[in-house]
Amino acid sequence: MTFRAKPVVKREHRPGWETQDRRNFYLNLGFGLIVVLSLVILASYVGLSWYNAHLASVGSVDGQSITKDEFFDRYAIESWRLDEAQARSRTAVQAGQLTESQATSQQSAITKARNALASNTLEILLDAKLQAKLAVQEGISASPAEIDARLVTEETNPETRHAWVIAVKPVTDVGAVGPTDAQKATAKSNAESAVRDLASGKTWEDVAKTISTDLGTAAQAGDLGWIAAKNSSADEPYLAAVFAAPLNTPTAVIAGDDGVYRIGRVTEIAPSSVDDAYPSKFENKGISLERYRAVLASDVVHEKLQAKIVASVISSGPQRHVQEIYIKAPAATPGADAIKVRHILYSPNGDPSNASTVAATDPAWASAEARAKATYDRLKANPSLFDSIARAESDESSALGATGSGGKLPYFDSSSQVDPAFKSAILAAGLKAGDILPPVKSAFGWHVIQVMYRPTDVDRLKAIKEEADRSADFGVLARDNTETTTASVGGDVGWIAKGQVADALVNAIFAAPIGKTSEVTTIAGDGSYLFKVLAEETRTPTGRQLDELTTTTFSTWYDAKKAAAVITRDASIANSTTTN
């Protein structure tokens, strides 16, 4: 038997290096995927960071988002505008066209605006977005020519004039609200005499120092310094006359809105000038002309929108001349024992802030007490003198002068944080409205105090209305009760047009018969009002009345639109102090 060997089938052999290669391939592939994933994550992070830094919303209005880039761009522009205002103020001081006091006031306003710049910027952007939407609805847009004109306006330094004044104020009897017709005629005659003296060759300095009754300017020959045509503190008729006057030529007598007769003079004129370097200034700060023009476009839209909304109310129409008594709403509900008083303060050495450092035996305390007792005796004999004495003699600075408080104070009750001696005196049992208390010594000096009334303010105004309707002098009632700067002139606020004040007040004023009082009107969060209507005329708004009417009308319209809009704000952006 023959045996054959079974052939051996030779299997194909896979070299070891192929297995290793596969392993390496998958390792490399995995590593590559990890790298790619890491890059994707990194890119996502970078993208998200960039988005958060640039495109994230800081607020929105009716679905229109405001990005961080928009915010920081506008922040940079508004910051630069403040820088430019500050620089112009310094330049005016160096040129002698601004006093240090005026410059300090301007710098203070700029600093205040800068401190609120972040929150203000967000609000500016919200308003710009909403007003752009409203402008489309009103068919309003900003043309390139209008933007050019707006830029020229910003580039232009307005004309200023070095002005002087001789002011003759009618004498007013102590205790009276205003001068008599005879006293007004005498003041006007004295002013006309001053004009004749100047025409005859007398120097301005001599006439100003001898005739002017404005003690604040008479000593310096009536020098008001440099003023602009838009000046909130100067009398409007005087401003108009001075800016129409030829150089070194006294004006005629100007009857002021405030009842003062004035003569003006201009000794220097700084004409308006255009700063050709204006664009390069903001471009040097990294602000492109394109970005700046976009901001100017929103400014133009705002002005045109405002003009269209107020057009219907600034034409000629009925206006009423009114006196007003206004009582500000208390910050908190007065307690059951609350009371309102007014006072005249006599401090040792006339300095209430340092009275507590003056020894009780110092003669200055005795002097203050003697003044208080003398005033107390005068007021017991004639209580109507209280306001005029307070404005002339009180050592409380806020009480003094035509625009002071006349010594009026807010409600005090047993929970009030006030000097114990003063508090004890005014909360004593049995006090009645009108009572004048014997002088009271506090840490600040000696007080002469008169009780005004107890809550509520509405009840007080209703009682005043009854007095006025029984022929009591409304001007005297206003002087002794109103909490406005018009108290010294009997609450006379001048002519009021429809739309100039809140609708509720307009309705009250125009519903009252001529020569009579209105109904008491309360505005929540503001206060309570009572008016007396002196006269009605058809008039066209001008000057500051036009400015006030324009602002009030547009604000009333726009505030309602803004209240109805859906607005979001990122509160954290208001705390931002860095910009791109």
Side-chain angles (χ1 to χ4, degrees), residues 337 339 422-432 435 437 451 454:
D337 58 350
I339 192 169
F422 183 90
K423 183 176 179 178
S424 177
I426 65 174
L427 295 182
L431 295 181
K432 306 182 301 298
D435 285 352
L437 311 186
V451 176
R454 298 183 184 277

Side-chain angles (χ1 to χ4, degrees), residues 184-327:
K184 293 177 184 177
T186 298
K188 184 179 180 181
S189 176
N190 289 342
E192 290 170 342
S193 176
V195 172
R196 290 192 294 270
D197 288 343
L198 292 169
S200 70
K202 288 187 177 181
T203 67
W204 176 277
E205 288 73 15
D206 286 344
V207 174
K209 290 178 179 179
T210 55
I211 293 182
S212 184
T213 61
D214 186 348
L215 300 180
T217 61
Q220 53 198 27
D223 188 354
L224 295 179
W226 291 82
I227 62 175
K230 287 285 187 180
N231 188 309
S232 61
S233 62
D235 181 74
E236 277 197 276
Y238 170 80
L239 274 177
V242 163
F243 273 82
L247 199 64
N248 292 314
T249 304
T251 68
V253 173
I254 308 158
D257 287 340
D258 55 1
V260 177
Y261 297 95
R262 295 179 176 87
I263 304 156
R265 179 180 70 150
V266 175
T267 54
E268 297 175 86
I269 298 175
S272 63
S273 60
V274 176
D275 182 0
D276 294 328
Y278 194 80
S280 63
K281 289 179 180 179
F282 58 72
E283 287 179 328
N284 289 339
K285 292 291 186 178
I287 301 169
S288 69
L289 181 58
E290 180 183 7
R291 284 165 54 196
Y292 203 82
R293 286 177 63 84
V295 169
L296 295 177
S298 68
D299 292 342
V300 171
V301 164
H302 167 78
E303 291 170 357
K304 293 179 70 175
L305 186 61
Q306 184 181 62
K308 183 170 184 178
I309 297 305
V310 304
S312 62
V313 298
I314 62 174
S315 56
S316 179
Q319 296 189 25
R320 289 191 160 194
H321 185 187
V322 301
Q323 292 170 290
E324 167 193 85
I325 299 177
Y326 165 75
I327 301 176

